[in-house]
């Protein structure tokens, strides 16, 4: 079996790691990096840390508007697929790299497997929601992390090729969990009780009004907040002439293990990321999500995650509520990568 795996943005490096490791034992796997993320601390650091083989090809598309970025990827990916003619193209998650990989392969009649299929926020103003919908409707094998994802696909009339395999991010998280001890915090410059935050969603950082509201919310958090700053957010802060509140400590983006260590020992996590909501509650740290909706409703169980948008009062209310369960469930058993590879092999034979 010959496979081309397409990645390009930070969350995809985490998802591809367990799958490619397993895949390479049984198949020829060409790893293509679109170059959507290119800063060392947004890309290379994950390849080193997660022991992912270096990409066989980097298309170096870089940043741009959605049309420009996706078009450059389509052109580059098509060329690779024509040259290698794989049995499968595997795409991950919901970024522009996902969409471009799925579209380029589908148009060439090459089968598409989508890892993290079926997720929906219900908000079509999110670029990621468009990427998810289009990718799922051209994919041949839809590898779903949760039963809710399977139901979304059924509602859109997609039943063929749908498999519930569990969440690959659980595979990754469980494999590094022994490395997340508090003894690593001082070397990261963290010494006292703290909250952790991330902010990068286009809807929150692309306008001065919303970014201003997000900063006001952070100023209302009762304690020190450590925030690894995404380059998109840094650019917006500079462009709008905004500065971080006094209780917020901005730091450079962190690698996977340092980020999870930070999350593991935080009093709570404030985020607009999808994956981090899950990582936080799976590590037993409560999460406050700075969005109106989530693709991961399982995280809301027992009050472990609350959706507060950019409303500081709602945030304070959520922070003071009691948790009513020991944890969350529904993300699988940490063996999703094994099932994904078995499904690919089964569908190829
Ligand atoms: C992308 C994904 C988003 C994912 C996020 C994770 C899409 C539509 N969005 O958003 O779903 O949650 O990645 O990080 O694909 N930049 C740099 N260096 C980099 C990467 C980006 O400086 O290495 C800056 C550029 O100014 C760029 C901006 O960040 O214009 C946005 O980057 P882009 O990849 O377009 O989207 P993300 O916001 O990272």
């Amino acid at each position: 079996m010959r496979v081309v795996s397409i990645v390009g943005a930070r969350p995809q490096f985490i998802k591809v790691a367990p799958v490619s490791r397993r895949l390479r034992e049984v198949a020829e796997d060409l790893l293509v990096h679109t170059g959507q993320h290119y800063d060392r601390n947004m890309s290379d650091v994950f390849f080193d840390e997660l022991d992912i083989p270096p990409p066989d090809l980097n298309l170096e598309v870089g940043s741009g508007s959605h049309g420009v970025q996706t078009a450059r990827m389509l052109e580059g990916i098509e060329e690779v697929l024509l040259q290698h003619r794989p049995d499968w193209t595997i795409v991950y998650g919901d970024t522009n790299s996902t969409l471009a990989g799925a579209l380029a392969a589908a148009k060439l009649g090459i089968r598409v497997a989508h890892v993290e299929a079926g997720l929906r926020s219900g908000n079509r103003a999110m670029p990621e929601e468009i990427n998810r919908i289009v990718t799922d409707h051209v994919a041949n094998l839809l590898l779903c992390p949760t039963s809710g994802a399977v139901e979304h696909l059924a509602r859109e009339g997609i039943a063929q090729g749908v498999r519930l395999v569990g969440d690959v991010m659980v595979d990754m998280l469980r494999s590094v969990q022994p490395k997340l001890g508090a003894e690593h915090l001082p070397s990261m410059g963290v010494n006292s009780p703290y909250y952790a935050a991330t902010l990068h969603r286009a809807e929150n950082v692309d306008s001065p009004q919303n970014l201003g509201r997000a900063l006001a919310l952070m100023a209302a958090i009762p304690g020190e907040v450590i925030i690894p700053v995404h380059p998109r957010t840094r650019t917006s802060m500079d462009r709008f002439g905004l500065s971080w509140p006094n209780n917020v400590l901005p730091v450079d983006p962190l690698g996977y293990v340092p980020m999870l260590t930070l999350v593991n020992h935080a009093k709570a996590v404030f985020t607009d990321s999808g994956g981090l909501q899950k990582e936080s509650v799976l590590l037993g740290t409560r999460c406050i999500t700075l969005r109106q909706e989530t693709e991961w409703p399982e995280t809301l169980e027992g009050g472990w995650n609350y959706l507060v948008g950019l409303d500081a009062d709602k945030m304070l209310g959520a922070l003071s509520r009691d948790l009513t369960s020991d944890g969350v469930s529904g993300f699988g058993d940490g063996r999703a990568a094994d099932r994904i590879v078995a499904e690919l092999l089964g569908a190829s034979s």
Side-chain angles (χ1 to χ4, degrees):
M1 181 168 71
R2 183 184 292 167
V3 169
V4 168
S5 301
I6 313 269
V7 294
R10 189 167 59 174
Q12 292 164 331
F13 309 140
I14 296 157
K15 291 165 199 168
V16 82
V19 177
S20 268
R21 196 169 300 154
R22 180 75 193 84
L23 198 56
R24 285 179 181 222
E25 293 168 9
V26 293
E28 191 186 321
D29 175 32
L30 189 89
L31 186 59
V32 178
H33 189 323
T34 62
Q36 177 171 353
H37 285 176
Y38 44 86
D39 287 356
R40 183 175 156 71
N41 59 14
M42 295 292 288
S43 176
D44 298 4
V45 73
F46 295 91
F47 283 81
D48 297 345
E49 189 190 5
L50 304 179
D51 213 14
I52 311 170
D56 297 289
L57 281 165
N58 190 320
L59 304 176
E60 295 179 358
V61 300
S63 302
S65 66
H66 285 273
V68 166
Q69 192 181 53
T70 311
R72 285 193 194 129
M73 291 178 192
L74 274 170
E75 198 175 355
I77 294 168
E78 182 176 70
E79 206 177 307
V80 175
L81 294 177
L82 281 171
Q83 199 183 337
H84 293 274
R85 282 273 160 203
D87 300 297
W88 288 98
T89 297
I90 311 185
V91 295
Y92 292 84
D94 56 16
T95 73
N96 290 344
S97 299
T98 317
L99 172 69
L103 214 48
K107 292 269 183 148
L108 292 173
I110 294 169
R111 287 180 295 179
V112 176
H114 183 202
V115 174
E116 220 173 67
L119 295 186
R120 297 290 182 270
S121 66
N123 175 4
R124 288 204 179 200
M126 283 179 86
E128 293 82 2
E129 185 79 347
I130 305 299
N131 295 343
R132 294 179 193 121
I133 293 169
V134 176
T135 301
D136 284 340
H137 282 261
V138 300
N140 305 82
L141 190 56
L142 297 105
L143 301 155
C144 297
T146 60
S147 53
V150 175
E151 284 163 27
H152 290 143
L153 294 175
R155 239 175 276 148
E156 291 175 23
I158 306 176
Q160 217 180 342
V162 176
R163 305 281 187 277
L164 177 60
V165 292
D167 191 334
V168 282
M169 287 184 74
V170 177
D171 297 25
M172 209 49 229
L173 185 137
R174 297 296 177 220
S175 75
V176 301
Q177 215 163 351
K179 298 185 193 165
L180 310 180
E183 67 275 15
H184 302 296
L185 289 174
S187 65
M188 294 163 57
V190 181
N191 294 301
S192 49
Y194 62 93
Y195 294 96
T198 76
L199 188 74
H200 78 280
R201 201 54 61 205
E203 70 206 41
N204 284 343
V205 306
D206 283 2
S207 79
Q209 292 79 12
N210 286 352
L211 186 50
R213 288 185 69 202
L215 295 175
L217 180 147
M218 289 199 190
I221 297 171
E224 188 184 33
V225 182
I226 299 174
I227 181 164
V229 184
H230 189 287
R232 179 183 202 107
T233 309
R234 199 177 291 281
T235 306
S236 288
M237 296 284 289
D238 293 346
R239 187 154 50 104
F240 305 144
L242 295 168
S243 48
W244 296 101
N246 289 336
N247 63 321
V248 176
L249 180 69
V251 298
D252 286 337
L254 294 174
Y256 181 65
V257 170
M259 186 66 207
L260 290 190
T261 304
L262 191 74
V263 167
N264 197 22
H265 302 286
K267 288 201 278 183
V269 163
F270 300 83
T271 189
D272 59 5
S273 152
L276 206 60
Q277 294 172 46
K278 228 172 13 183
E279 289 166 336
S280 176
V281 300
L282 286 169
L283 288 171
T285 301
R286 71 186 303 162
C287 183
I288 310 280
T289 295
L290 312 183
R291 292 176 50 197
Q292 305 287 0
E293 70 283 312
T294 180
E295 299 78 27
W296 305 103
E298 300 81 1
T299 59
L300 304 174
E301 198 180 302
W304 281 92
N305 184 17
Y306 266 100
L307 303 175
V308 303
L310 297 177
D311 187 324
D313 290 334
K314 267 196 194 163
M315 177 277 288
L316 289 171
L319 204 52
S320 65
R321 284 207 192 100
D322 288 335
L323 299 166
T324 58
S325 77
D326 291 339
V328 301
S329 58
F331 299 108
D333 57 3
R335 298 190 49 224
D338 286 351
R339 284 191 205 95
I340 288 169
V341 173
E343 289 294 348
L344 285 164
L345 287 170
S348 299
S349 58

